[in-house]
Amino acid sequence: QVQLVESGGGLVQVGGSPRLSCAASGRTSSMYAMGWFRQAPGKEREFVARISWGGGVTYYADSVKGRFTISRDNAKNTVYLQMNSLKPEDTAVYYCAADRSAGKRTATSHYDYWGQGTQVTVSS
């Protein structure tokens, strides 16, 4: 019902500041909270950030708090993740996801729709 497509990943140097985008299509008239997750090689997918369906409430993992900013533009059906001061440990495939329920929800099982992911590689 909802399709999500991430973009903006690639190879970036330590300290770089790329911005990831997630474009939604399909039944976008419904209201969804949106989240960003990442999965590093050999590790499980982990929570990065979440934004409420109105954009007024955000949550961040401790590992990215103060460096990453999640935002959304509902008129464009797009969610963004601005990443600053990148570190090698930020290297991962980054996924966006949509959640039909409100609240502070950080587990992957809470989300109804997922994008295909975009690779972010941080090198010195």
Side-chain angles (χ1 to χ4, degrees):
Q1 292 186 357
V2 175
Q3 295 79 47
L4 305 174
V5 179
E6 302 95 335
S7 62
L11 181 63
V12 61
Q13 291 186 316
V14 170
S17 301
R19 187 179 72 163
L20 306 184
S21 298
C22 174
S25 61
R27 294 179 181 262
T28 55
S29 60
S30 299
M31 300 186 72
Y32 298 90
M34 299 295 297
W36 284 97
F37 292 76
R38 67 186 183 185
Q39 188 165 19
K43 298 186 180 297
E44 295 186 352
R45 193 169 301 182
E46 66 174 351
F47 169 77
V48 175
R50 175 182 171 95
I51 187 167
S52 63
W53 42 29
V57 181
T58 58
Y59 301 98
Y60 296 94
D62 288 342
S63 59
V64 307
K65 190 175 299 181
R67 298 190 298 123
F68 292 8
T69 302
I70 187 171
S71 62
R72 68 190 301 165
D73 186 340
N74 287 343
K76 298 180 179 179
N77 295 317
T78 302
V79 180
Y80 305 96
L81 184 68
Q82 177 65 59
M83 303 187 292
N84 298 320
S85 302
L86 284 183
K87 307 173 182 178
E89 52 263 43
D90 293 319
T91 295
V93 176
Y94 283 74
Y95 300 88
C96 68
D99 180 8
R100 292 176 293 178
S101 297
K104 185 179 180 180
R105 294 152 66 87
T106 60
T108 58
S109 60
H110 293 151
Y111 291 78
D112 302 291
Y113 305 100
W114 292 85
Q116 84 290 346
T118 185
Q119 176 72 46
V120 175
T121 302
V122 184
S123 62
S124 60

